[in-house]
Amino acid sequence: MIRIYENHHDYIESLNKERKTHSSKESAVEKIIEDIIVDRDKALFKYTKEFDKVDINERNILVNEQEIKDCIKAVPKKLMSALIRAKENIIELNKKQLRKDSIISKNGKRVGYVIRPVKRAGLYVPGGKSPYPSSVLMCAIPAIVAGVEEIIMCTPYGNGLNPLTIAAADLCGIKKIYKVGGAQAIGAMAYGTKSIPRVDVITGPGNIYVALAKKKVFGAAGIDMIAGPSEILIIADSSATPEVLAADLLSQAEHDELAISVLITTDKKLAVAVRSEVEKQLKQLQKASIARQSIDNYGAIITVNTLEQACEASNFIAPEHLELSVADPHSLLPLIKNAGAVFMGHYSPEPLGDYYAGPNHVLPTNGTARFCSSLGVDNYIKKISIIEYDKESLQKAKDDIIALAEAEGFDAHANAVRVRFEE
């Protein structure tokens, strides 16, 4: 049963005790990545057979045209229409994120930066407990808008191809879809094999092994973030209803046994009612066993005296998803400093962001919303600095540059400026 706390620090202490270290998993991931670097396809195929129980080779690793056609044919028209409308919403928002070159020209000086997309991006789309066609849209569309030349995708094949996932990839124009998953897929995209080309950036959610693999390969390729299990935190006052709050808490609990669902409320009667309603709704879920473990181990209801205290506690936790289920959510928004995404009011549930509204659902978790943002166009671009001085401008600056270079002990730096003005 979900526990009720009167202090968010008590909850954090309890949460830290429940979380286990990942040292053994890190060792396993390191071994997989090292094998991929050395043995390339041989290691990729070996681990795919070991973990996904399927035989993959250079001839069948790619999803072929017929398989794509069969998947699209298997998707009901209603679902395809929903995907198309979601795609349109995501494109509209991502176009607003596009950066422009920025150059300042003044008195013989030109400085600033130009924007360039990465050449190739690799998307990871999970295929374990549930398929994630929505993640295809969320990862691919920012790359498309950014102008990435080529997008490839890896998705596990252990349970066969998910028609909706493949249809979403086709909808985004992804031509190369590889039937591999796990840490081995991340390693293959980061370092390249004969079958899978090396990419510049890897994005997309995954389990703990995928997250640790992304951490391991960072530097060989860029990554979006090291995402953990899903999180939701709800701030609620007496205007909220127990049924809705319980449903929203469980919407994340069903993701993963390690998912975190937290309610912070100023209404103690509401807290008790929500706890009862969570138990009632749990019994009706298809994934009740997953949600039960999540709620029992990581769920919490925290009571506070004021909504300001609720915001303070939320900022401390820095949740992935934050719902402001209060009568006046706009009055609280200025108090929110740390969150991946904020859902405003009683009619903006978290699944609206997961599937449809437009903002990305690949979000910072595990407190990283203190310094990290959602996946977006910026993950697929680079800012290249531009510096151009004419002779007169450099002459005016030379004494300052020489002084600074010599202060740091770099005579050659100083000389590179001085030599230009010696006669």
Side-chain angles (χ1 to χ4, degrees), residues 25-57:
K25 294 182 176 67
E26 286 179 348
S27 297
V29 166
E30 286 183 7
K31 178 65 166 61
I32 292 170
I33 300 300
E34 288 169 3
D35 286 351
I36 291 290
I37 293 172
V38 174
D39 293 330
R40 308 290 174 167
D41 271 351
K42 181 180 177 182
L44 179 64
F45 301 152
K46 180 189 77 171
Y47 283 118
T48 298
K49 184 172 184 179
E50 180 179 342
F51 298 133
D52 293 340
K53 312 303 180 188
V54 291
D55 284 313
I56 295 295
N57 55 53

Side-chain angles (χ1 to χ4, degrees), residues 398 401-406 410-419:
K398 71 179 178 66
I401 300 168
I402 290 169
L404 290 169
E406 290 179 341
F410 290 114
D411 292 343
H413 279 63
N415 193 52
V417 174
R418 186 184 293 113
V419 72

Side-chain angles (χ1 to χ4, degrees), residues 254-280:
E254 72 173 353
H255 261 292
D256 192 292
E257 294 89 345
L258 301 176
I260 294 171
S261 302
V262 179
L263 168 66
I264 304 178
T265 181
T266 52
D267 189 331
K268 292 186 178 181
K269 289 184 179 179
L270 181 65
V272 174
V274 170
R275 179 166 65 175
S276 176
E277 186 63 28
V278 165
E279 290 299 310
K280 177 182 175 182

